[in-house]
Amino acid sequence: MIDIRFSADRPQDADVLVIPVGEGGADAGALGIAQGAMVAGAAKSARFEGKAGQSFSTFAEEDGTAVRVLLVGTGKDGFDKAGGAISAQLLTSGAKHASLKADGLSAEQAAEIAYGAKLRSWRIDTYRTQLKDHEKPSLNALTLVGAPDGTEDRWTRLDAIAEGVAFTRELVSEPANIIYPESFVERARAKMEPLGVALRVLDEPEMEKLGMNALLGVSMGSEKPGRLLALEYMGGKDGEKPIVFVGKGVTFDTGGISLKAPQGMEDMKWDMGGAGAVAGAMTAIAGRKAKANVIGICGLVENMPDGKAQRPGDVVTSMSGQTIEVINTDAEGRLVLCDALHWAQETYDPEYIVDLATLTGAMLISLGHEQAGLFSNDDGLADKLTAAGKTSGDPLWRLPLGKAYDKLLDSPIADMKKVGPRSAGSITAAQFLQRFIHDGVKWAHLDIAGMAWADKDSATAAKGATGFGVRLLDRLIADNFEG
Ligand code: BES
Ligand code: MN
Ligand code: ZN
């Protein structure tokens, strides 16, 4: 990712001058360059109107040399999008060091531009050994010139969040031969111990002792042992109950014995997107030294078909004591979550618990790739999350829960079956989870199946892993649980 710097004057080695432009388009006098009138006119004829994320690239003469100029539109309040446009336009453009005219901005606006630029500059080139020079990123720094007092403080905070988003994207993008339960834990350790996060790791024998047969049932078909990872960050008051996040971390989902069709199965490397979001959110929250007690729990398993794998029709006893009839082994996420949720409540006694999971394909049918599904037993928590979704840019839409849906999980042999009928598949999955929520605990479930991965670029992310959930959870904490 690019490096963000601050300076009073334009750096000598800057090879592009970036100028933010608000809605309505470029005003010749406000551009701050000798040929302002010409550039403003050119931008206008190219239909550049200063809309959020819009850009216009040109050259202008300065002391006898041609200077590369990039106008980026901030719209009314799209400073992060404008920042995203800087990286999208310049990352592989040959430009190495961009200088941003930040003197006309507020501290918040300037920091948001830096944030968008950093987020949009993330990419994973680990396995590209044949990149031609012109395909490699050239841009390595963005210097904010003349930013007002307070910009650097705001940036420190946003930088921590960008690091969290990047970590989630990394975990989600890595293939399943690289990121599996044990290696997920080791990456989380390397990232988070330096930030003051304590790790607690349960291996399979320990989970067996605790009776986590639902989670372990999924893991049985895999050569890779499962793990339950707890990330503990206690930045709040002593004795204050923590907020707990729980993520589905299926490092690869073949479907198990109810094997998925081959077409697109490779996508299931990102079936750990919930756990990835939790790890990224903990990175952000600890990184910016939030004044809150927050626990992140990742249920990590691989769902494989094998002679030892779980069968449809098996009955397992979860840690809560409730028995579950396994119908389709491809509905594995809820088995992982039910034990993780139960253990989380027993261990940390939270007032609030929020789980995130790429849980159901049905979610893509109902909400597509525009917002994640939100389910909750508490209107207050649902409102807090919805609000955090709007301000963070990770939007949520609430869906219902209710007795009639719950009844669809009745089983002829066990306390419940794992899947209901095809209709309302995302809701019955949430209903299943709710059966493991203790009385009085405020709980929300976020089905992020459509949001963890994107097939097209957005303002602040290239196509691929989005990092969905990190900014949302960070906002939830910042707006409701600090101070
Ligand atoms: N990980 C999948 C859900 C999923 C599918 C996420 C496609 C993103 C894209 C989950 O484990 C799964 O397979 N769910 C099944 C449940 C069904 C068997 C009740 C599904 O949605 O088809
Ligand atoms: Mn599945
Ligand atoms: Zn899955």
Side-chain angles (χ1 to χ4, degrees), residues 248 253 260 268 270-271 328 330-334 358-362 364 419 449:
K248 166 180 171 180
D253 180 14
K260 285 181 183 296
M268 287 299 118
W270 50 257
D271 208 19
N328 187 320
D330 196 10
E332 82 297 338
R334 58 199 79 182
T358 50
L359 202 63
T360 64
L364 282 70
V419 291

Side-chain angles (χ1 to χ4, degrees), residues 214-238:
L215 183 151
L216 290 169
V218 178
S219 194
M220 272 185 343
S222 173
E223 294 288 330
K224 308 249 188 252
R227 290 285 185 269
L228 191 72
L229 167 66
L231 303 160
E232 305 177 338
Y233 172 73
M234 305 302 263
K237 296 191 189 81
D238 276 351

Side-chain angles (χ1 to χ4, degrees), residues 26 56 61 75 105 139 202 208 238 250 292 300 312 336 423 434 437:
F56 173 71
E61 197 230 288
L105 304 167
L139 190 72
L202 303 187
E208 226 169 286
D238 276 351
V250 176
L300 302 164
V336 175
S423 43
Q434 193 177 9
I437 301 304

Side-chain angles (χ1 to χ4, degrees), residues 396-435:
L396 303 173
W397 191 259
R398 192 174 182 185
L399 288 139
L401 292 165
K403 275 214 176 86
Y405 294 112
D406 186 67
K407 212 173 154 22
L408 298 172
L409 297 173
D410 288 348
S411 158
I413 182 158
D415 296 338
M416 72 195 85
K417 56 184 180 184
K418 197 172 58 154
V419 291
R422 221 169 85 87
S423 43
S426 304
I427 304 176
T428 50
Q431 258 350 125
F432 178 93
L433 299 178
Q434 193 177 9
R435 290 187 178 214

Side-chain angles (χ1 to χ4, degrees), residues 157-170:
R157 185 186 170 90
L158 292 179
D159 192 20
I161 305 170
E163 290 291 334
V165 171
F167 187 44
T168 300
R169 289 180 185 168
E170 174 189 322

Side-chain angles (χ1 to χ4, degrees), residues 315-333:
V315 174
V316 295
T317 304
S318 66
M319 185 184 171
S320 75
Q322 299 180 89
T323 58
I324 303 160
E325 181 189 4
V326 175
I327 302 290
N328 187 320
T329 64
D330 196 10
E332 82 297 338

